[in-house]
Amino acid sequence: MALLNQFKDLWNPLGANQKISLILAAGLVGLAMIALMVWASQPSMQLLYGNLDPEEAGEIVTKLEQKGASFETGKNGNSIYVQSSMVHKLRWELASEGLVPSGSGPGFELFDQGSFGISDFVQRTNYLRAIKGELERTITQFSGVRSARVMVVMPENRIIVTSEGRERASASVFVDTSGGMTLSAVNSIRQLVANSIQGLNANDVVVVDSAGVVLSEELKSDGLKEECRMT
């Protein structure tokens, strides 16, 4: 009761314009608080799969709807975002049902969403992930390649160089092929990867097929030899 009386004592002497201004200010503060609460309650969305074919996107969307999972699609409809806490779980579930899109690694759509507040280290890591994803998608476009996986090892930034010399970047490319690949195609993959990663030499790119055969072994030191069919 005493608090109400104090409010009246402050309110009554005010003029009409002052009262209107206070009411409007209180209303704006209230709206801002409501908007902040709504924004905070929205789930954080993370990329599930990107660069999808229309058929693949349709199948995944159907499965997500059946599971009752909330999702969003990218601007072009070829990427799907889900709640960040559900990304790994949904990938496992979809993989167990045979829904693993070709070249499903995230590409440059990683940067579609705002990056405010993200550290330089995370930005560099995401950039490398995006490069690998784009490379995987490109390699799967090669004739006879059904899927591809690119792994890159970058040297640590060290002030003091050891006697063993400065470490170099290296990359491994796993390709699942339908049949064989020519040395020309294997060399193209090596050059593509080497020219996409800063400080990476083509001789440090290893291409391996699903049978565990190192397809790039003949190219490592002598460059491209006569074209032949690998089986």
Side-chain angles (χ1 to χ4, degrees), residues 38-61:
V38 171
W39 176 80
S41 64
Q42 290 180 346
S44 174
M45 306 301 283
Q46 186 175 335
L47 181 70
L48 178 66
Y49 291 121
N51 197 37
L52 298 169
D53 293 333
E55 183 178 351
E56 291 176 332
E59 291 177 354
I60 293 174
V61 165

Side-chain angles (χ1 to χ4, degrees), residues 69-133:
S70 59
F71 64 90
E72 297 176 358
T73 57
K75 296 178 181 178
N76 298 323
N78 60 354
S79 57
I80 299 175
Y81 297 83
V82 297
Q83 294 184 29
S84 56
S85 59
M86 296 291 292
V87 169
H88 299 299
K89 180 176 183 294
L90 288 172
R91 284 179 180 169
W92 292 333
E93 292 180 356
L94 292 172
S96 66
E97 297 174 17
L99 281 177
V100 182
S102 57
S104 57
F108 283 111
E109 67 275 1
L110 275 172
F111 301 98
D112 286 348
Q113 296 183 337
S115 57
F116 179 76
I118 297 180
S119 67
D120 290 340
F121 173 77
V122 175
Q123 286 280 49
R124 290 194 298 269
T125 302
N126 284 340
Y127 179 75
L128 185 59
R129 288 179 61 201
I131 288 290
K132 292 192 293 183

Side-chain angles (χ1 to χ4, degrees), residues 187-210:
N187 192 56
S188 296
I189 292 175
R190 293 168 70 241
Q191 297 297 333
L192 174 68
V193 175
N195 285 293
S196 300
I197 307 295
Q198 184 177 9
L200 180 60
N201 188 284
N203 282 335
D204 293 320
V205 179
V206 177
V207 182
V208 183
D209 68 6
S210 54

